[in-house]
Amino acid sequence: MTGHADDTFCFVHAADLHLDTPFVGVHAGAPEVAAALREASLDAFDSIVSLALGRDAAFCCIAGDIYDGARRGVRAQLRFRDGLARLAAAGIATFVVHRNHDPVTTGWAAVSFPDEVTIFGHDAVGVVPVVRGGVQIATVQGISYATHATTENLALRFARPEGPGVHVGLLHCNVSGAGGGHEDYSPCTLDDLRRARLDYWALGHVHQQRVLAEGRGPGDPWVAYPGTSQARSARPGERGPKGALVVQVRAGVVTGVEPVACDRVRFHALECPLDDVEALDELEERLESLAAEALAAGDGRSVVVDATLVGRGPLHRDLARPGSLEDLLEHLRSGTSRRAPFCWWDRVVDRSGAPVELADVRARRDFSSDLLAVADVLAVQPDAAASAARGLVESVPRALRAQVEAIVRDPGRFPELVEAAARLALDELSGGEP
Ligand SMILES: [Mn+2]
C-alpha cells in the first residue's frame, strides 16, 4: 500500500466545514459568481478529500460543524458522504464529531456512511484503534454534542488508554483564550487537555487556524485548530487562506503540523490611499491593480474583495456625491471576469477625506487657527514639545506608554508628529469637512 515504514505516516485534521451554507453579507449580483460562492464550501471539502488521498493519509479527523444549522441540507449530506466514500475506497478511515451546528439528536441522517467512517456518539467518549498493515498505529477518541449548546467541559472525559501508536482526541470546544468572538461551548483550558495525556488534540470551533501547543513527546499533546475550510464572510477572522492541517507522525510521536489551503474563494480587504489620485479612472486603475495582486496571491482561486478608500485627496469631493461610489462599484464589477478565477467586488467604502491646506486654516482666525498656531510653536521648539510630551507620559494608557517614551527620546521626530497631530485635531474639529 505504501512505500514508507509503518511507523511513519500522516493524518488530516479538518473542522468547521459548514457545508453548503450561504455567504454572510456578500451580494453576488452575477449568477456565475453566486454559483461559485454556493459551491465553495462543498468544493473545499472535495479538496480536503483530495489532500488526504494525495498525501496517502492514514486517517482523517473532522472536528464538528460539518453542516450549519440542525437542518442538514441534502446536497451537503450527499457531498459529505461521497467524499468519505472516496476516502474509504482508498482504505482511509474518517472520524467525525458533531456539535451545536449539527447536533446528533435534532438533525436527521438521510445517508448511510461506509464502515470506514466513525461518527462518535454523545453519550460517552468513543475509542477506536487505527490499524494499518496489521499494525496498530493510532487510537482516536471523540465525543459529539447531544444538544445545541454544551457547556460541559467534555475534555475532562478523555483519558489515554493503553495501546501503541499515536493517541488523538477529537473534540469541538472552546479553549480559553484561543480566539475572541467564539461562543463558550464545551469550555476548557490547555491544562484540562494536557491532563488526558494524549499526543494530539484535533479541535474544532475557532475559525482561524491555530496551533495552541506543540507537544514535547508522548503524553504531552499538540493542540490545534485547523480553522474553517472555506471562508464565508468578509469578517477579519475569515480572510486569508483556509484549509486543513496535515499532521506528521513518526514512531508514535507527532513531529509536525502543516497547514494546507483547501479553500476555493478567498476574501481580501484592500486599502487604497487616494492622496495623490487626480481622476476617477486613475483610482479605478489603482483598485484594479490591487485586485490583480490579490488574485495572483490566491494561486488560482477566485477572490472577493472589500476595498476601503483612505487618505486625503482631491477626489474625495467627487466620491462624496450621492451615487458616485455605487457607480464606481458597478463599473468595477462590469469590468471583471465572472469565470473562475474571478475577482468579485463586494464593496467599496470611502473613508477618505478632502485635502487640508494648512495655510488656509492659518488665515481663518478661529479655534482651528489658534490650535495650529500652538502646533507651529511646538514644531519649532522641540524642547518645549519634549517637556509637554513628558508631562503626558503618565497620563496615557499603559499600553501606549512605551511608544510615547520612545517619541520623547527622539525630538527629531517632533515636527512631523506635531503636524500629524494638528491634522488629526483639525479633522476632529471639522468632522472631516475642512
Ligand atoms: Mn464553526
Side-chain angles (χ1 to χ4, degrees):
M1 177 165 58
T2 61
H4 50 65
D6 281 323
D7 68 348
T8 301
F9 63 90
C10 73
F11 65 92
V12 170
H13 169 200
D16 298 277
L17 311 176
H18 294 275
L19 293 176
D20 204 18
T21 58
F23 280 62
V24 182
V26 180
H27 306 288
E32 301 92 330
V33 173
L37 295 185
R38 186 151 182 250
E39 295 301 318
S41 63
L42 301 170
D43 291 344
F45 174 63
D46 287 348
S47 292
I48 292 172
V49 170
S50 300
L51 170 69
L53 293 169
R55 298 290 184 94
D56 190 24
F59 57 94
C60 288
C61 291
I62 304 178
D65 280 4
I66 318 298
Y67 313 105
D68 199 80
R71 192 187 67 80
R72 305 174 184 187
V74 169
R75 242 163 62 97
Q77 291 193 79
L78 292 177
R79 261 314 245 288
F80 189 54
R81 193 271 322 268
D82 289 350
L84 300 192
R86 274 171 72 205
L87 292 173
I92 299 174
T94 304
F95 299 91
V96 178
V97 293
H98 287 294
R99 80 124 201 182
N100 56 311
H101 281 177
D102 35 29
V104 173
T105 53
T106 60
W108 49 273
V111 300
S112 51
F113 292 101
D115 292 342
E116 288 82 353
V117 176
T118 301
I119 309 234
F120 287 108
H122 61 267
D123 292 331
V125 172
V127 182
V128 180
V130 182
V131 177
R132 205 185 203 195
V135 178
Q136 184 171 326
I137 56 167
T139 304
V140 181
Q141 51 186 307
I143 186 167
S144 291
Y145 287 17
T147 56
H148 175 77
T150 297
T151 52
E152 182 192 338
N153 182 348
L154 293 168
L156 300 178
R157 297 216 211 167
F158 287 68
R160 186 187 187 97
E162 288 297 317
V166 69
H167 286 267
V168 178
L170 185 53
L171 184 63
H172 202 90
C173 67
N174 194 35
V175 179
S176 47
H182 288 86
E183 291 120 309
D184 215 8
Y185 296 128
S186 187
C188 63
T189 65
L190 268 178
D191 282 344
D192 293 336
L193 296 171
R194 288 193 174 113
R195 205 161 294 144
R197 305 220 17 95
L198 303 178
D199 302 312
Y200 186 88
W201 276 99
L203 304 183
H205 186 38
V206 170
H207 281 194
Q208 295 98 305
Q209 184 254 308
R210 294 264 160 81
V211 176
L212 298 182
E214 295 192 8
R216 286 161 299 187
D220 183 53
W222 287 68
V223 179
Y225 286 106
T228 187
S229 48
Q230 168 62 56
R232 290 172 309 136
S233 82
R235 280 185 226 124
E238 304 261 326
R239 289 178 201 143
K242 298 289 179 186
L245 298 173
V246 174
V247 183
Q248 299 292 342
V249 179
R250 192 177 338 115
V253 175
V254 173
T255 55
V257 171
E258 176 198 355
V260 179
C262 297
D263 51 347
R264 295 298 180 91
V265 179
R266 205 165 277 177
F267 284 85
H268 282 271
L270 307 178
E271 266 201 359
C272 182
L274 46 70
D275 298 73
D276 52 350
V277 180
E278 301 286 339
L280 265 175
D281 53 346
E282 206 182 315
L283 173 63
E284 201 182 357
E285 265 171 41
R286 206 172 274 206
L287 284 168
E288 272 163 1
S289 84
L290 286 170
E293 281 172 29
L295 206 49
D299 201 14
R301 290 171 183 82
S302 295
V303 295
V304 174
V305 293
D306 273 15
T308 305
L309 309 177
V310 297
R312 294 185 159 277
L315 218 51
H316 171 75
R317 279 185 207 287
D318 290 340
L319 293 169
R321 277 201 289 269
S324 297
L325 278 182
E326 289 82 351
D327 287 352
L328 174 64
L329 184 60
E330 205 52 48
H331 196 72
L332 287 166
R333 283 176 176 174
S334 70
T336 60
S337 165
R338 281 155 187 196
R339 278 206 196 101
F342 58 76
C343 167
W344 177 251
W345 289 91
D346 181 35
R347 69 192 77 193
V348 179
V349 177
D350 185 19
R351 299 236 186 284
S352 70
V356 177
E357 290 303 334
L358 293 186
D360 295 346
V361 178
R362 283 190 185 96
R364 273 196 211 159
R365 299 190 176 281
D366 60 3
F367 184 74
S368 298
S369 61
D370 287 351
L371 176 90
L372 214 48
V374 173
D376 288 343
V377 170
L378 288 177
V380 295
Q381 296 182 354
D383 291 346
S387 86
R390 241 173 259 125
L392 282 174
V393 169
E394 290 305 312
S395 62
V396 296
R398 196 170 293 274
L400 293 175
R401 208 162 285 170
Q403 247 174 297
V404 174
E405 280 166 349
I407 292 167
V408 172
R409 278 196 299 273
D410 184 9
R413 289 180 61 206
F414 275 148
E416 161 207 343
L417 286 168
V418 166
E419 186 183 321
R423 283 182 182 276
L424 259 178
L426 291 174
D427 276 357
E428 290 295 320
L429 279 173
S430 63
E433 285 296 320

